[in-house]
């Protein structure tokens, strides 16, 4: 093999990774500590850094190295490194500069309009910029190229190698199987008081409790930190993986579950092998796989009975007013199912229905089967069909999410993929780890983390999502694991037949 060319490639790529790390640090600061007036300055800094990274990635030298190396037969890991860098390079190089500039000019304009439209709950204020933005995204799809649907080329940015046809099949089956479960659970749960947990939770005490849970999960504070932001997120990678949380003084749940969720993302980013740092083998496979890690911890572990058998006494000690709430009552209250019109308020059962609505609309828009102007009407129809409700207005309906205003088309499916992958992974972990539930019930989360480390985290991008799922679980992605997980769990909690 051509050792010199490979080493040259690795060195060049490492700088591109570093530029990405700088960009994510700027983004973290923007959302946590930056003075508000610095927003324009920060925008210039971010576009400079991403511009340099783009130039380096698409440079002629990089192209030549990749061409040389992709013709040579390489051992597994090196071949994966070359395959993934080439994927990034090809995608970035295929989109002309004027289009990239236009897309980045469009983003603040579209976001601004979206904010106004949402405030006034009037989709028509957002319509023309969204039309323009979608036109640009369709151009991106044409430049990037695709076999069957232009939507494939857009999904590919977030969930590499995934095809819309496969998504449509899996999501279609999922929707059909979820529908009766959602109907039954929303009916049963309406009899329970979901405000049972509303009381005063001093924020300083929440912080201590959440940190203690993060440490038990295995989050390494020597390579991380926790701050506050309007919307929780995880940023950075390798030896600097930061979490942000938000706290609600009258409800413990938002902070508690966002900390476990972001903790799951952070464990993935901290779980790559040092020897692979600054290469694609120390990067996440896809957003769907990333989300599988957060949702596995948040829902399958963090909302499970065994987890709270172990941790509820600690929570009750932190908040003595919880001593009159039994473990059963608490467990039901953190697993309360309702058909809210708002995605970010949704529980693990109804969540995917929100995504199916967005998926169908996005796909039809990009495939020219639907007009932007019809979004509000179609949105409401689909909410009726999937969740049996109709949003009161556009603000609680088709204007609720920022994604399309940021040009993130093809992103939504990764949330539901996260749910499906997480259940499938957890089933495999349960089979391989003797008495996984027992160890979680004893507050010992180490066996699960080390399974995730050796079966998922440590590989980085060595395998594609589909190959990884097959390798780890013995089969391709299927909605059945998730459906069975829901049936078993909620039949137990509410003593019903699902
Ligand atoms: Mg997430």
């Amino acid at each position: 093999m051509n050792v010199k060319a490979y080493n040259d490639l690795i060195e060049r790529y490492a700088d591109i990774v570093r530029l990405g790390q700088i960009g994510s640090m700027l983004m973290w600061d923007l959302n946590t500590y930056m003075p508000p007036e610095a927003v324009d300055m920060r925008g210039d800094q971010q576009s400079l850094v991403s511009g340099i990274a783009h130039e380096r990635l698409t440079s002629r030298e990089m192209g030549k190295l990749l061409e040389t190396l992709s013709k040579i037969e390489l051992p597994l890991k090196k071949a994966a490194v070359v395959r993934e860098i080439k994927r990034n390079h090809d995608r970035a190089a295929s989109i002309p500069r004027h289009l990239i500039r236009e897309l980045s000019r469009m983003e603040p304009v579209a976001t601004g309009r979206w904010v106004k439209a949402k405030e006034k709950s009037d989709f028509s204020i957002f319509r023309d910029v969204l039309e323009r933005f979608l036109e640009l995204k369709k151009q991106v799809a044409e430049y990037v190229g695709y076999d069957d649907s232009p939507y494939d080329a857009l999904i590919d940015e977030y969930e590499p190698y995934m095809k819309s046809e496969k998504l449509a099949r899996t999501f279609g089956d999922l929707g059909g199987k979820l529908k009766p479960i959602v109907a039954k659970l929303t009916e049963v749960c309406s009899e329970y008081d979901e405000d049972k947990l509303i009381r005063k939770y001093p924020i300083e005490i929440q912080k201590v409790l959440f940190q203690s849970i993060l440490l038990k999960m295995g989050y390494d504070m020597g390579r991380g930190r926790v701050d506050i932001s309007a919307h929780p997120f995880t940023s950075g990678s390798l030896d600097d993986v930061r979490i942000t949380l938000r706290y609600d003084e009258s409800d413990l749940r938002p902070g508690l579950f966002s900390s476990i969720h972001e903790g799951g993302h952070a464990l993935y980013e901290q779980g790559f092998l040092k020897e692979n740092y600054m290469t694609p083998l120390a990067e996440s496979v896809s957003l769907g796989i990333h989300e599988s890690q957060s949702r596995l911890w948040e829902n399958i572990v963090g909302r499970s009975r065994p987890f709270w058998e172990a941790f509820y006494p600690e929570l009750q000690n932190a908040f003595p007013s919880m001593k009159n709430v039994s473990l059963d009552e608490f467990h039901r209250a953190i697993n309360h199912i309702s058909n809210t019109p708002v995605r970010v308020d949704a529980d693990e059962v109804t969540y995917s229905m929100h995504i199916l609505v967005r998926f169908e609309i996005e796909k039809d828009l990009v495939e020219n089967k639907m007009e932007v102007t019809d979004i509000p009407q179609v949105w409401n129809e689909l909410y009726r069909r999937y969740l049996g409700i109709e949003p009161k207005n556009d603000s609680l309906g088709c204007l609720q999410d920022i994604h399309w205003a940021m040009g993130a088309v093809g992103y939504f499916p990764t949330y539901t993929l996260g749910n499906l992958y997480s259940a499938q992974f957890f089933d495999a972990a349960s089979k391989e780890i003797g008495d996984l539930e027992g160890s979680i019930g004893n507050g010992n989360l180490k066996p699960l983390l080390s399974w995730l480390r050796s079966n998922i985290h440590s590989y980085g991008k060595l395998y594609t999502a589909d190959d990884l799922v097959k390798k780890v679980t013995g089969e391709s992605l299927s909605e059945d694991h998730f459906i069975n997980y829901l049936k078993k769990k909620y039949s137990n909690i509410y003593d019903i037949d699902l």
Side-chain angles (χ1 to χ4, degrees):
M1 105 175 213
N2 192 331
V3 179
K4 191 176 165 302
Y6 185 80
N7 290 343
D8 196 2
L9 177 76
I10 291 296
E11 240 174 74
R12 284 168 189 273
Y13 188 71
D15 275 350
I16 295 167
V17 173
R18 290 183 186 105
L19 287 162
Q21 291 167 342
I22 293 166
S24 101
M25 180 68 72
L26 292 174
M27 192 279 291
W28 170 83
D29 177 64
L30 168 81
N31 288 293
T32 49
Y33 295 105
M34 193 188 80
E37 297 280 309
V39 71
D40 289 343
M41 247 170 80
R42 179 54 46 91
D44 293 341
Q45 294 160 353
Q46 285 173 315
S47 79
L48 176 65
V49 173
S50 63
I52 297 171
H54 186 264
E55 252 168 49
R56 298 252 185 136
L57 181 61
T58 55
S59 70
R60 269 184 51 197
E61 294 84 350
M62 197 77 172
K64 271 193 216 152
L65 286 171
L66 286 166
E67 206 189 307
T68 310
L69 288 163
S70 56
K71 283 183 196 141
I72 301 171
E73 194 152 334
L74 294 165
L76 184 70
K77 283 186 185 175
K78 289 192 164 101
V81 166
V82 172
R83 176 192 78 217
E84 290 305 320
I85 299 178
K86 188 166 189 309
R87 218 187 86 78
N88 283 344
H89 166 88
D90 291 352
R91 189 177 172 96
S94 67
I95 308 168
R97 229 167 251 232
H98 70 86
L99 184 52
I100 292 173
R101 269 201 299 271
E102 214 172 327
L103 282 163
S104 57
R105 261 203 305 268
M106 196 71 205
E107 202 185 310
V109 178
T111 316
R113 277 287 195 94
W114 168 76
V115 169
K116 261 196 208 120
K118 193 179 176 190
E119 266 168 23
K120 298 223 157 90
S121 193
D122 181 355
F123 182 75
S124 70
I125 298 174
F126 183 45
R127 190 180 52 219
D128 60 331
V129 280
L130 181 58
E131 270 165 5
R132 178 73 195 126
F133 216 156
L134 266 172
E135 278 318 307
L136 296 177
K137 296 300 283 191
K138 287 181 204 167
Q139 287 179 30
V140 167
E142 293 306 319
Y143 283 114
V144 168
Y146 52 86
D147 291 331
D148 300 313
S149 162
Y151 188 47
D152 288 350
L154 301 182
I155 298 169
D156 198 66
E157 187 175 343
Y158 310 105
E159 194 67 19
Y161 310 103
M162 178 55 80
K163 299 285 176 253
S164 65
E165 187 263 328
K166 180 172 178 180
L167 278 182
R169 221 178 332 120
T170 310
F171 284 8
D173 293 347
L174 175 68
K177 292 175 189 175
L178 261 183
K179 210 172 165 185
I181 300 178
V182 166
K184 178 91 185 173
L185 280 174
T186 47
E187 189 202 316
V188 169
C189 284
S190 65
E191 287 161 30
Y192 289 92
D193 174 17
E194 65 170 322
D195 292 337
K196 182 118 206 131
L197 302 186
I198 303 295
R199 59 195 68 202
K200 197 165 164 25
Y201 302 95
I203 287 171
E204 283 314 307
I205 302 179
Q206 290 193 41
K207 279 187 185 168
V208 175
L209 176 70
F210 300 166
Q211 184 132 331
S212 152
I213 291 176
L214 283 167
L215 289 174
K216 295 239 175 59
M217 287 167 65
Y219 180 53
D220 180 353
M221 290 294 289
R223 297 189 290 145
R225 54 176 292 133
V226 180
D227 295 272
I228 296 178
S229 69
H231 301 283
F233 65 91
T234 300
S235 70
S237 63
L238 315 174
D239 293 332
D240 185 355
V241 183
R242 306 180 185 203
I243 294 174
T244 67
L245 303 178
R246 73 189 157 109
Y247 302 90
D248 181 339
E249 202 157 35
S250 62
D251 194 343
L252 191 61
R253 287 166 288 189
L256 176 59
F257 292 105
S258 64
S259 63
I260 302 176
H261 180 100
E262 298 309 326
H265 280 303
L267 289 176
Y268 190 13
E269 290 290 336
Q270 287 185 338
F272 302 123
L273 301 180
K274 259 211 152 90
E275 69 204 51
N276 295 328
Y277 275 20
M278 319 308 279
T279 78
L281 301 184
E283 291 171 8
S284 64
V285 179
S286 69
L287 288 192
I289 298 290
H290 224 309
E291 196 68 8
S292 77
Q293 299 306 292
S294 56
R295 289 180 186 232
L296 186 147
W297 285 100
E298 179 195 349
N299 294 327
I300 302 183
V301 177
R303 284 188 164 91
S304 73
R305 177 82 191 195
F307 184 83
W308 289 107
E309 276 163 17
F311 292 103
Y312 196 49
E314 190 180 333
L315 187 147
Q316 286 180 311
N317 284 335
F319 304 105
S321 73
M322 294 293 286
K323 289 193 172 154
N324 61 20
V325 178
S326 72
L327 176 58
D328 272 342
E329 289 173 308
F330 176 77
H331 190 230
R332 262 200 309 267
I334 60 169
N335 288 292
H336 189 274
I337 308 309
S338 68
N339 45 4
T340 154
V342 179
R343 178 186 61 87
V344 294
D345 296 336
D347 49 77
E348 64 175 335
V349 180
T350 55
Y351 194 96
S352 293
M353 293 304 209
H354 294 263
I355 298 306
L356 297 192
V357 171
R358 289 151 179 79
F359 168 72
E360 284 186 29
I361 293 177
E362 278 188 350
K363 187 170 182 297
D364 282 356
L365 287 170
V366 176
E367 291 176 350
N368 292 321
K369 290 176 185 157
M370 183 184 151
E371 303 282 341
V372 167
T373 184
D374 295 329
I375 290 177
Q377 186 207 335
V378 175
W379 185 282
N380 293 349
E381 271 170 31
L382 290 173
Y383 263 81
R384 259 200 308 273
R385 186 187 312 159
Y386 285 124
L387 282 163
I389 50 169
E390 189 167 327
K392 266 201 216 94
N393 52 45
D394 290 350
S395 172
L396 292 170
C398 63
L399 287 171
Q400 63 181 272
D401 300 305
I402 194 172
H403 299 61
W404 293 338
M406 294 172 64
V409 179
Y411 189 114
F412 283 122
T414 66
Y415 293 123
T416 283
L417 285 172
N419 279 338
L420 304 186
Y421 289 138
S422 71
Q424 198 161 336
F425 286 147
F426 194 80
D427 276 348
S430 302
K431 262 189 222 151
E432 283 171 40
I433 305 171
D435 197 18
L436 176 56
E437 281 199 1
S439 72
I440 294 173
N442 289 323
N444 179 10
L445 305 174
K446 285 195 183 114
L448 177 59
L449 179 60
S450 64
W451 186 90
L452 293 170
R453 287 271 191 260
S454 55
N455 286 282
I456 297 165
H457 303 174
S458 59
Y459 291 126
K461 277 189 159 81
L462 181 61
Y463 303 107
T464 66
D466 192 40
D467 287 345
L468 180 71
V469 171
K470 278 188 203 140
K471 182 178 154 56
V472 176
T473 72
E475 56 176 319
S476 207
L477 174 69
S478 153
E479 73 287 352
D480 286 335
H481 296 270
F482 181 64
I483 292 291
N484 292 337
Y485 152 75
L486 294 181
K487 281 185 176 173
K488 186 169 165 225
K489 175 176 172 177
Y490 289 91
S491 297
N492 275 329
I493 296 178
Y494 292 104
D495 199 18
I496 48 173
D497 245 348
L498 284 173

